[in-house]
Every structure is written in C-alpha cells, then in structure tokens.
Amino acid sequence: MKEDRKTVELYYERAGNGKRLSSLLFDTFCSFFLGFVLLTLVLFLLEKSPVVESRFAIRDTLALQSGLYVEGESKPVRYRDEVLEEETLSVDEKSQLLDDRLVAFYAMPSFFPEEDGLEIYFEYKEKAALENGEKLFEEGRRRLVNDDYDQTYLDFYSESFDIALGYLFQNSQYSSASRELILIYTFSIVGNFLFPIPIFFLIVPLCFSRTRQTFGMRLTRIALISADGLSVRTGKLVGRFFFLFFVEVVLSLVAFLIPFAVSIGMMALSKSHQSLHDYVFNTYVIVLDKNTIFKDVAEYRLSLKKDEGLTLEDEKYRPVSGVDQDPQL
C-alpha cells in the first residue's frame, strides 16, 4: 500500500508578453548579427573557392562566346546595355548593331544544336507588327523605312535581345553552372542565418542549468520552469528546442510563417499564455525576481531545512508548480 504524499505548491509570477517578446527580439537580433558576420566571411571565402570560380568561369566564357555579352571591368556586361547607353550612335545605328549581334547569335549551332536558330529569329521577325496589324518586317528586312518608326524597331530589337538571353540561359552548360551557383549561395545564406539559432536558444540555456535562460531572458529577468515547478531537465530542454527549430523556424520558412504565427497567437491569447513549443513540452516562462528555481526535489527539501529549520526526512513532500494570477496552471 502506497504512502500518501503531501503536495507542496510553489508560486511563480507568470512572465508578461512584453518581457517575453523583448527577450525574443534581443536573442533574434544577436542571432541575425552573428549570422550576418558569418555570412560575410563565408561569401569572401566562396569568391576564392575553386569550385565557385570554375562555375563562374563557365558562365562567363559561354556568355562572351554568345556575343550577347562583352567584357566589363570585373565581369561580362550585356551588349545591348552598352549599345543603348552609347550617345554617339543614332537610334537606327543602335538597331542595326543589335540586329547584327542577334543574327550572329542565332547562327551559332552550339546554342541551337537541335534546331535552326536563324529560322527561329526570322519567324519572330515575321510575327512582329504594329497595333493596327501592319507588319514590321518583310523577308527579314525592315518594312517601314520612315524615321518615325526608328524607335519602334529599336524597341523590337531590345525585346528580341531578352528572348535571345533566354536561349543562352537554356544552354545545358550555362544552366548547370548557374544552378550549382544558386544552390551554393542559397545554402550558404540560409545555413549561416540558421547556424547561430542553436547557439543562442539551446547552448546558452544549457549553460544556465538552473534557470534555462537565453541572454534575452537574463536581460529581462525571466526564466523557464517545468510544470512541476522545478528547473527544466536537459532532455526536455533539448526536445523543446528541436521542436521550436524545425517546426516554428524551418517549417515557417516554407509555410508562410504560419507555425510561428500560431505560436505567437497561443502565447498572447491562450489561458496559460504558453507558446506552441511550451505547450507541447509543458513548460512555463516566469518572472525570476526573488524566486528561486530548484533543480530537483532534494534541493527544495534542503532549502527548507536551511531557511525554515524544517525536517523533511519522511519523503512526504513533492513540490508542484503554481503560477499566480492563473490558478489553472
């Protein structure tokens, strides 16, 4: 027959939403700042990386071979932009230069291995027309020779240049190099901003073994406890963090911040004022102030012996939590 155990109630003041949000903003700022510093360093190293340099070299070489780009100070620049910015050329001369360059590009079999590039370009010309339906070209040549239409033809060649760039980007080597660069830089950016989160939201609380505080929580004088009124155990703290990280952070990146919004909504509107991760792991954020958070029952009994001269040798006392202003907790 089990001996009856006496319940001892411990009361803590629940932390207000203002303090909790201030703490979250401070920790988030620290995390983003460290992430920005790391990203700056990583981007600098990537510029020197042989893998990244080789991918950029492939793209730049193909871009210059196409004739749609020309050498710039540090990287290739679009030929069209150079022509349009040249003030010494007339509108008609600019049109002629762009047309010549487009014809040269569409004539390259390396960019059109399975179809006739020139045929594609001439078909596009044949379809070009004014709003009234009057055609701009006849047999690939300009049909309207009046100077009033010079800008119309320049606009056509400028738009045609964008279409030509699309064919360049579809080149297997060019697209493969571009895809790899996008993946490298995307993972670098996302990874460097996610990496500091475990530092500020897991490692730091693990260091404060009694209060499980982040730097922001320490600054705002709030702490984390379990439902039994004691310090959060390591296993529960780790599980709480991974739920927070993968559900409320990572999942929010692809789910339009919905998990994060749900968590903030629960913190503001629910009776217990627990965020999603606190609700799942049954933890509470309290005001530290003059309260003492005990690591375990033995430490609580020892404190009673010291402070009140009580003797609790009979194993009848088991502390449970209570949060003032909300007896249901």
Side-chain angles (χ1 to χ4, degrees):
M1 183 174 180
K2 292 185 178 179
E3 183 180 4
D4 293 338
R5 300 174 67 88
K6 183 176 180 180
T7 297
V8 177
E9 294 186 351
L10 301 176
Y11 287 93
Y12 297 98
E13 179 184 354
R14 183 180 61 239
N17 292 336
K19 283 192 172 185
R20 295 177 68 179
L21 288 175
S22 297
S23 169
L24 176 62
L25 289 174
F26 181 82
D27 291 320
T28 302
F29 172 79
C30 292
S31 180
F32 269 92
F33 180 77
L34 178 58
F36 178 79
V37 173
L38 293 174
L39 179 61
T40 303
L41 177 61
V42 168
L43 290 179
F44 173 78
L45 295 176
L46 283 177
E47 290 182 358
K48 310 297 181 182
S49 168
V51 175
V52 172
E53 286 184 342
S54 66
R55 299 306 181 272
F56 274 118
I58 292 173
R59 291 205 329 172
D60 293 349
T61 300
L62 289 170
L64 294 174
Q65 286 178 355
S66 71
L68 302 178
Y69 285 80
V70 293
E71 289 282 1
E73 292 183 2
S74 58
K75 61 180 181 179
V77 295
R78 292 179 180 179
Y79 177 75
R80 177 190 57 189
D81 298 340
E82 293 288 297
V83 170
L84 294 180
E85 293 175 3
E86 182 56 61
E87 297 180 355
T88 60
L89 297 173
S90 66
V91 174
D92 188 54
E93 288 173 332
K94 292 178 181 180
S95 295
Q96 188 60 53
L97 288 174
L98 291 181
D99 185 34
D100 292 342
R101 191 57 61 100
L102 288 169
V103 169
F105 168 71
Y106 280 103
M108 295 182 185
S110 58
F111 294 102
F112 300 92
E114 299 179 359
E115 50 190 338
D116 187 343
L118 284 176
E119 184 177 344
I120 295 174
Y121 183 46
F122 290 144
E123 285 182 1
Y124 183 64
K125 276 187 170 184
E126 288 298 321
K127 294 178 181 179
L130 298 176
E131 293 182 358
N132 60 10
E134 190 173 7
K135 292 185 175 296
L136 293 179
F137 296 92
E138 186 174 358
E139 295 183 355
R141 296 184 179 182
R142 176 171 171 171
R143 182 170 177 273
L144 306 175
V145 296
N146 192 305
D147 293 346
D148 295 338
Y149 294 100
D150 285 354
Q151 186 61 47
T152 300
Y153 281 94
L154 181 59
D155 292 341
F156 167 81
Y157 290 120
S158 182
E159 293 175 3
S160 300
F161 208 88
D162 287 329
I163 296 174
L165 288 173
Y167 283 106
L168 169 62
F169 298 158
Q170 291 176 13
N171 178 272
S172 59
Q173 289 182 292
Y174 191 100
S175 61
S176 177
S178 297
R179 185 166 52 251
E180 292 178 19
L181 287 171
I182 291 173
L183 289 175
I184 290 173
Y185 280 96
T186 298
F187 279 112
S188 297
I189 294 172
V190 174
N192 279 283
F193 279 109
L194 290 180
F195 174 75
I197 294 178
I199 296 176
F200 289 99
F201 290 89
L202 178 61
I203 296 177
V204 171
L206 285 173
C207 294
F208 296 115
S209 59
R210 185 181 302 277
T211 58
R212 301 305 190 186
Q213 294 169 296
T214 63
F215 287 137
M217 294 173 71
R218 199 164 183 82
L219 187 65
T220 54
R221 301 284 302 166
I222 59 179
L224 188 69
I225 61 171
S226 290
D228 58 7
L230 302 174
S231 178
V232 180
R233 294 179 177 83
T234 299
K236 177 178 284 191
L237 184 70
V238 172
R240 175 181 179 273
F241 167 76
F242 279 108
F243 183 89
L244 166 68
F245 183 77
F246 287 107
V247 175
E248 298 181 35
V249 177
V250 177
L251 184 59
S252 288
L253 294 177
V254 296
F256 307 102
L257 298 180
I258 292 176
F260 178 77
V262 169
S263 184
I264 294 296
M266 290 179 62
M267 185 180 73
L269 303 175
S270 66
K271 285 186 177 181
S272 63
H273 293 279
Q274 292 172 289
S275 56
L276 181 59
H277 51 277
D278 283 325
Y279 176 80
V280 171
F281 286 88
N282 207 13
T283 54
Y284 297 88
V285 181
I286 54 100
V287 176
L288 191 58
D289 200 16
K290 297 180 181 179
N291 293 316
T292 298
I293 297 177
F294 302 101
K295 288 187 176 182
D296 50 37
V297 175
E299 188 179 60
Y300 171 73
R301 290 175 180 151
L302 182 61
S303 72
L304 290 181
K305 289 180 182 180
K306 290 181 179 179
D307 298 339
E308 302 179 14
L310 298 179
T311 301
L312 301 176
E313 303 289 346
D314 55 0
E315 300 288 336
K316 292 183 178 181
Y317 291 91
R318 178 172 59 86
V320 297
S321 69
V323 181
D324 65 355
Q325 302 176 355
D326 198 340
Q328 296 184 3
L329 300 182

